Amino acid sequence: MRQTRTQVAIVGAGPAGLMLGHLLHLHGIDSVIVENRTQEYVIERVRAGVLEQGTVDLMREVGVGDRLEREGLRHSGVYIAFNGQRHHIDMEELTGGRAITVYGQNEVVKDLIDARVATGRPLHFDARGVAVHDIDGERPRVMFRLAEEEQELTCDFIAGCDGFHGICRPAIPLAQLQTYEREYPFAWLGILANAPPSSDELVYSLHERGFALFSMRSPRVTRLYLQCATDEDIDNWPDDRIWPELKTRLRTADGWEPIEGSITQKGITPMRSFVAEPMRYGRLFLAGDAAHIVPPTGAKGLNLAMADVWRLGSALAAHYRDGDGRGLDTYSDRGVRRTWRAQRFSWWMTSMLHRSDSTNPFDHRRQIAELDYLISSRAAMTSLAENYVGTQFD
Ligand code: APR
Ligand code: PHB
């Protein structure tokens, strides 16, 4: 068995684990990142694509923002569509200059992997049988196999950045963890298409047939979503069914509709809200999807993960530099507060924009009234804007 030691063992090479590794590197702290999938899988996995202002600022500040600067699409506003009309919300004007940037999560991951490789610090893909031990003791350990060789990694702290289905959260004794969960009675069918965006900004639409979202990845690639059933079979959605449905749900009276193109990827995204509290047990700290899941309507998942690791990176730096443990002691409380704020916003966006199964037409009329209020009140638009662009990391 090969035995190694590091200061912080990071489980998971998604955006959370990779960004944490980079932050620690900048603070001169050793880490080892252990990921159970291959590098290709991690890079090619199609995920979200909206970066809050705070995420963009962080990427720039830590020196991984060059390609984001060149290729990211800065959006100062967003459209909300209902009753055949698109309404513009100028987020930049409403928030004193903050905006979002469209840049695929897999591009973020690619940039962070490049940065990690350039540091020469360990990043292990394809690790088998990853398990964490002694998380409530002084010397926690991560066990795994690399190319059939058993590895024991001893460390001061473990960062559980291994997503919702990872092994870190389940390592915490059940009695020490409170979880809150809500499943939604619908899912999203998402596509990537080789088609230029016909709108310069995202369009969130409530239609009688259900929610639809127009988004993009680049000047040549669009990303679109349709509300569908939770048990939807993707095989029932050939391309010539998807486009008419998207157009029906998105088309507005002024003739705007998405441009069609060849579909290069299709998938179903479940919708779930989940919170685990606290985000720390002993020397194990949870960050990102390992600790919380938001439905994608508010585009908060990736950004919450970035806010977590920014907090954790700063707290670990203060611990190693000054022996100051206050950041670590408050890591969970501060994170839980931000998480619930994002949960509230994501739940609100989701319930305002999706067709529920309810046969009672009251709900649809209430949603229209909510949207009507939103687009006619500066206060309501400001509330959406400041949550959507995101608050300062703290
Ligand atoms: N051992 C090692 N790695 C693991 C294990 C394990 N047992 N289980 C899962 N992982 C890896 C996954 O393969 C994945 O690469 O952990 C990583 C977790 O990454 P993400 O799921 O991307 O989660 P996170 O980094 O928290 O990113 C936040 O924002 O847009 C949302 O949900 C979206 O992934 C996104 C998230
Ligand atoms: C995306 O582009 O993938 C996207 C955009 C906005 C969302 C969710 C996903 O709310």
Side-chain angles (χ1 to χ4, degrees):
M1 181 165 67
R2 181 187 290 265
Q3 294 179 313
T4 45
R5 201 194 125 63
T6 189
Q7 289 175 295
V8 181
I10 300 173
V11 183
L18 289 164
M19 178 56 93
L20 179 63
H22 192 64
L23 290 167
L24 295 179
H25 163 74
L26 295 177
H27 288 297
I29 300 169
D30 281 340
S31 67
V32 174
I33 306 180
V34 181
E35 162 66 49
N36 67 349
R37 301 283 193 158
T38 64
Q39 179 164 347
E40 298 68 47
Y41 179 90
V42 168
I43 289 179
E44 271 153 35
R45 194 167 35 186
V46 177
R47 306 293 271 275
V50 171
L51 310 191
E52 286 180 1
Q53 185 71 55
T55 300
V56 171
D57 293 346
L58 175 64
M59 292 204 33
R60 277 205 201 113
E61 279 161 24
V62 302
V64 294
D66 288 357
R67 202 160 64 92
L68 168 63
E69 186 93 40
R70 287 196 310 275
E71 298 175 18
L73 306 169
R74 183 181 158 91
H75 287 190
S76 57
V78 66
Y79 289 100
I80 300 287
F82 63 100
N83 285 347
Q85 305 289 328
R86 268 190 307 161
H87 304 270
H88 191 244
I89 297 185
D90 187 341
M91 299 186 297
E92 188 162 23
E93 194 259 328
L94 291 163
T95 61
R98 291 170 79 78
I100 54 142
T101 298
V102 171
Y103 190 66
Q105 178 173 317
N106 52 331
E107 307 300 337
V108 172
V109 164
K110 228 184 278 174
D111 296 343
L112 288 170
I113 290 177
D114 288 348
R116 178 73 179 182
V117 169
T119 67
R121 294 188 188 269
L123 166 56
H124 302 304
F125 288 101
D126 223 356
R128 302 292 155 93
V130 182
V132 297
H133 298 280
D134 303 332
I135 52 176
D136 52 353
E138 289 292 300
R139 279 282 169 272
R141 292 174 297 132
V142 182
M143 303 288 300
F144 52 100
R145 272 190 318 283
L146 281 182
E148 301 311 315
E149 187 183 26
E150 285 292 335
Q151 308 265 337
E152 183 186 56
L153 173 64
T154 313
C155 57
D156 301 331
F157 300 101
I158 298 176
C161 303
D162 51 347
F164 184 66
H165 300 287
I167 47 98
C168 288
R169 191 182 65 251
I172 300 175
L174 268 184
Q176 304 297 325
L177 206 63
Q178 180 79 43
T179 59
Y180 303 87
E181 191 160 12
R182 184 182 212 287
E183 303 246 353
Y184 295 82
F186 34 75
W188 282 12
L189 189 161
I191 62 160
L192 267 181
N194 285 325
S198 54
S199 163
D200 51 347
E201 285 168 353
L202 272 58
V203 184
Y204 287 83
S205 173
L206 173 68
H207 187 271
E208 280 163 18
R209 296 177 62 83
F211 170 77
L213 169 61
F214 173 86
S215 180
M216 64 200 75
R217 285 293 176 272
S218 75
R220 288 167 305 282
V221 175
T222 42
R223 176 98 175 122
L224 297 106
Y225 298 94
L226 278 176
Q227 176 184 348
C228 64
T230 49
D231 58 355
E232 197 76 51
D233 183 353
I234 195 87
D235 292 338
N236 291 335
W237 285 88
D239 299 6
D240 60 5
R241 181 176 173 207
I242 291 179
W243 283 114
E245 190 63 34
L246 279 169
K247 287 186 179 179
T248 301
R249 294 191 197 182
L250 286 164
R251 188 182 297 122
T252 43
D254 58 3
W256 179 80
E257 63 178 25
I259 297 172
E260 262 187 55
S262 58
I263 297 179
T264 54
Q265 196 268 350
K266 266 185 226 185
I268 308 257
T269 310
M271 309 273 285
R272 173 188 283 129
S273 298
F274 174 85
V275 182
E277 297 180 16
M279 296 171 70
R280 171 188 191 171
Y281 176 71
R283 288 176 171 258
L284 169 67
F285 291 83
L286 301 178
D289 278 14
H292 39 65
I293 297 283
V294 283
T297 327
K300 289 283 155 242
L302 169 63
N303 298 294
L304 264 185
M306 290 297 189
D308 284 347
V309 294
W310 182 82
R311 241 178 22 260
L312 186 53
S314 313
L316 287 166
H319 164 82
Y320 281 113
R321 192 183 52 229
D322 311 318
D324 180 351
R326 282 174 301 177
L328 290 176
D329 291 341
T330 57
Y331 168 78
S332 176
D333 285 351
R334 288 180 293 145
V336 164
R337 184 154 180 253
R338 188 178 188 93
T339 301
W340 278 109
R341 190 176 169 141
Q343 292 290 2
R344 191 226 39 104
F345 176 65
S346 306
W347 165 86
W348 173 72
M349 286 282 279
T350 303
S351 48
M352 176 170 68
L353 288 163
H354 289 73
R355 204 195 140 82
S356 71
D357 278 341
S358 158
T359 47
N360 186 340
F362 180 92
D363 288 326
H364 189 67
R365 303 288 290 170
R366 175 193 52 78
Q367 285 174 305
I368 297 294
E370 172 110 43
L371 288 161
D372 195 33
Y373 169 62
L374 171 66
I375 53 98
S376 54
S377 156
R378 188 176 169 88
M381 282 190 285
T382 305
S383 170
L384 182 145
E386 66 186 16
N387 281 284
Y388 197 79
V389 299
T391 51
Q392 219 96 53
F393 288 2
D394 58 358

